[in-house]
Amino acid sequence: MSTISAPGTDVPPAETPDYPMTRAAGCPFDPPPALHTRQTEAPISRVRLWNGTTPWLVTRYEDVRALLADPRIGSDSTHPHYPHQSPAAKERRRQSRTFITMDDPEHARLRRMVTAAFSIKHVEALRPAIQKIVDDLIDAMLAGPRPVDLVQAFALPVPSLVICALLGVPYADHDFFQTNSRILVRSTTTPEQARAATQLLLDYLDRLIGDKLTHPTDDLLSTLAERVRAGEISRHEAASMGILLLIAGHETTANMIALGTLALLRHPDQLARVSASDDPKPIASAVEELLRYLTIVHSGRRRVAREDIEIGGVTIRAGEGVVLANDIGNRDPAAFPDPDRLDVDRNPRHHVAFGFGVHQCLGQPLARVELQVVYSTLYRRIPTLRLAVGLDQIPFKHDGTVYGVYELPVTW
Amino acid sequence: MKVIVDQHKCVASGQCVLTAPEVFDQREEDGIVVLLTETPPEHLTDDVRQAATLCPAQAIWLAEQEKQEGER
Ligand code: HEM
Ligand code: SF4
């Protein structure tokens, strides 16, 4: 694995720091301090992963963005040096691989089978339905006991209801798929647990796709079933895509809702700007800023170099693993002045919270609309919303491939 | 300014439509970019430039920029 590189950047193996790194106590919204140090002192340098491999870690915004868009970098998870996030993630990719860990042209062929549902026009048409989901859940919360866990009562149901409707998955099964999703996005999950959870989800989606083959409805799983019938994908591929969309569709947005709410409650001046506004523009800006500031997909985009790449005085060799740290990239002062300040007026559309390049988030239009509806409604309808416990009582998802909170007790 | 899009490269992210809806649209069947006008009016120039910068797939080109680079 060792290679010739620019002097001073390729530190000897013994000093290669472990990755992911740990956040500072009391600073749950900020990336680990060690990442800041890397960004200033050794912006492209090696880290050690859970399995002892030492891929490159890229920390500056410009480099992260450039490499994510670079065709010499690939996402193929079957490559022997692909830097898997955890033993569980490796097992899941093996068992249920989809276009998120494939390269073009295969990636493009499969992604384009589902892009229509996520176009701006299509997603905007869902806004009234999303508004109703949000309003109904707030009604139920206001009618129920206090304090309440915002994650279970609101943050998780909103995107779950939305993605279920879009995919054609019965929401009544939410306990089942949320439990198994949670297992798969936790980095401490064992390969055996990941295999079992993946198999349960594969069987479940295969059954649904079977139903859609005989009784097609107006949803994404029926679209996938149609592709199966046409012989363009196998049932296993269709079920795997179903799992990807189901998990990506609710785990991420749910964490943005809960963690974003917590961040706003901890920054009352910023919350005041959000809740005072009925205007879609400032709300849209606040959503972009919270996406940037929190960058919940915090364990780096995982890639493999397909050719030698010279960048920032370093040579990344063909076949080496590369981790693009979009979380610290989003805190780069060269791209975002005063980056550690939450400033909902900054409208940082160029952030990389959704990644960049051909794998940039497929669901971003949907996530944006969901978050815009949530942030423009929740604090307006419950103006006295506040934490029911101290910050030190809140369990953060330090062990998650997606960051957030496990629980958020609130009252009003 | 002349705008060029590459539908082959486009990944249907929708960033351009969010940024300059007067200039970009998406195909109904797969969300791939459609150019509404090749020569947008002056007042949209900044939006179109931002769309080109935000496009994750480098599928949007501004002919004006290329010419300037060529002249240098
Ligand atoms: C706030 C919420 C969300 C965040 C922060 C987020 C973040 C991301 C990121 C960073 C990537 C890039 C992965 C890579 O480059 O390796 C990605 C890809 C993806 N996301 Fe999201 N996502 C969110 C919501 C959603 C939603 C609602 C869906 C809907 C189903 C979704 C579906 C996907 C899919 C399918 C991909 C793979 C795209 C590809 O490989 O071409 N995401 N997301
Ligand atoms: S921004 Fe680029 S990738 Fe996204 S829809 Fe427009 S042209 Fe396609």
Side-chain angles (χ1 to χ4, degrees):
Chain A
M1 280 292 276
S2 79
T3 181
I4 319 140
S5 302
T9 42
D10 203 4
V11 287
E15 289 164 41
T16 306
D18 288 342
Y19 182 86
M21 290 142 179
T22 317
R23 291 176 196 252
C27 301
F29 306 121
D30 292 330
L35 279 181
H36 271 286
T37 315
R38 304 279 288 194
Q39 190 176 67
T40 44
E41 291 174 10
I44 304 180
S45 46
R46 289 182 186 278
V47 286
R48 185 179 306 279
L49 299 189
W50 58 276
N51 57 0
T53 56
T54 52
W56 295 98
L57 181 76
V58 180
T59 53
R60 278 191 188 152
Y61 173 83
E62 273 309 329
D63 295 339
V64 167
R65 203 170 180 272
L67 286 176
L68 282 173
D70 195 319
R72 294 172 299 174
I73 284 250
S75 287
D76 179 0
S77 61
T78 63
H79 192 286
H81 294 165
Y82 180 88
H84 287 280
Q85 295 190 345
S86 65
K90 183 175 181 181
E91 179 55 29
R92 173 183 165 205
R93 298 301 183 207
R94 194 190 59 76
Q95 210 175 342
S96 167
R97 185 162 168 251
T98 53
F99 57 87
I100 194 167
T101 50
M102 293 177 187
D103 292 334
D104 286 344
E106 204 49 16
H107 159 266
R109 186 179 80 88
L110 294 170
R111 175 167 166 137
R112 284 187 180 202
M113 290 185 184
V114 288
T115 37
F118 296 95
S119 74
I120 301 295
K121 221 180 273 169
H122 197 269
V123 167
E124 273 303 327
L126 298 176
R127 195 183 281 267
I130 296 173
Q131 183 71 55
K132 178 153 180 6
I133 287 173
V134 166
D135 279 323
D136 288 353
L137 286 165
I138 295 174
D139 287 343
M141 251 169 60
L142 288 171
R146 283 172 283 178
V148 66
D149 174 15
L150 192 81
V151 173
Q152 290 301 328
F154 186 71
L156 205 46
V158 170
S160 299
L161 281 159
V162 173
I163 197 66
C164 279
L166 198 67
L167 280 176
V169 167
Y171 181 70
D173 297 333
H174 68 269
D175 275 344
F176 164 77
F177 67 73
Q178 286 168 353
T179 304
N180 287 292
S181 304
R182 208 153 39 231
I183 293 171
L184 292 178
V185 297
R186 199 179 280 200
S187 58
T188 48
T189 295
T190 66
E192 293 70 31
Q193 290 167 328
R195 189 173 311 137
T198 305
Q199 196 56 51
L200 284 170
L201 286 167
L202 276 174
D203 292 345
Y204 174 70
L205 277 143
D206 182 74
R207 212 161 48 239
L208 289 177
I209 287 163
D211 293 347
K212 308 282 180 190
L213 272 168
T214 45
H215 301 98
T217 33
D218 184 18
D219 48 47
L220 255 176
L221 286 187
S222 299
T223 308
L224 289 176
E226 194 46 50
R227 302 287 185 155
V228 173
R229 190 200 310 279
E232 294 171 28
I233 45 173
S234 68
R235 261 175 88 146
H236 177 80
E237 282 176 307
S240 293
M241 272 158 87
I243 297 182
L244 171 67
L245 295 169
L246 188 58
I247 297 184
H250 77 273
E251 267 294 337
T252 46
T253 312
N255 283 306
M256 267 310 295
I257 294 174
L259 193 64
T261 297
L262 178 59
L264 287 171
L265 289 174
R266 300 291 298 177
H267 295 82
D269 55 324
Q270 300 297 308
L271 175 56
R273 303 193 67 82
V274 174
S275 50
S277 182
D278 249 350
D279 191 358
K281 269 204 172 139
I283 292 288
S285 165
V287 166
E288 299 307 319
E289 173 65 350
L290 285 158
L291 285 163
R292 176 196 77 84
Y293 182 72
L294 300 170
T295 313
I296 54 165
V297 178
H298 69 152
S299 37
R301 309 291 82 239
R302 307 295 171 120
R303 299 291 190 269
V304 181
R306 299 200 289 194
E307 296 172 29
D308 288 1
I309 301 170
E310 306 258 354
I311 182 164
V314 168
T315 304
I316 299 174
R317 298 282 171 200
E320 290 189 320
V322 186
V323 178
L324 294 315
N326 51 329
D327 54 346
I328 197 67
N330 272 338
R331 297 292 189 102
D332 187 339
F336 309 96
D338 199 1
D340 296 325
R341 198 163 62 88
L342 177 68
D343 172 5
V344 295
D345 297 324
R346 112 169 52 216
N347 199 18
R349 281 282 311 280
H350 57 298
H351 67 70
V352 283
F354 289 123
F356 199 66
V358 297
H359 290 277
Q360 193 182 54
C361 184
L362 168 74
Q364 57 180 311
L366 183 62
R368 284 197 166 100
V369 170
E370 290 180 298
L371 294 172
Q372 287 165 6
V373 171
V374 163
Y375 294 149
S376 66
T377 311
L378 182 62
Y379 323 115
R380 186 169 45 77
R381 290 209 47 203
I382 317 183
T384 58
L385 188 80
R386 61 179 193 277
L387 284 185
V389 298
L391 187 66
D392 55 343
Q393 308 272 314
I394 293 169
F396 288 91
K397 295 184 174 175
H398 292 291
D399 62 347
T401 50
V402 181
Y403 190 59
V405 293
Y406 283 110
E407 232 177 83
L408 192 67
V410 292
T411 191
W412 51 89
Chain B
M1 177 173 66
K2 190 169 174 235
V3 188
I4 301 158
V5 297
D6 184 343
Q7 293 183 324
H8 191 70
K9 281 185 151 184
C10 172
V11 296
S13 71
Q15 298 272 33
C16 55
V17 181
L18 275 186
T19 313
E22 302 88 345
V23 181
F24 304 99
D25 198 357
Q26 288 172 285
R27 279 201 306 235
E28 186 56 34
E29 67 270 27
D30 56 9
I32 296 302
V33 65
V34 176
L35 196 55
L36 297 175
T37 163
E38 276 195 350
T39 48
E42 278 283 312
H43 72 277
L44 295 177
T45 305
D46 283 352
D47 288 351
V48 175
R49 277 212 186 91
Q50 199 194 4
T53 311
L54 292 179
C55 173
Q58 293 155 314
I60 302 172
W61 300 91
L62 306 181
E64 161 215 66
Q65 278 184 351
E66 284 187 345
K67 200 159 78 202
Q68 278 171 3
E69 273 165 25
E71 281 165 2
R72 237 179 266 145

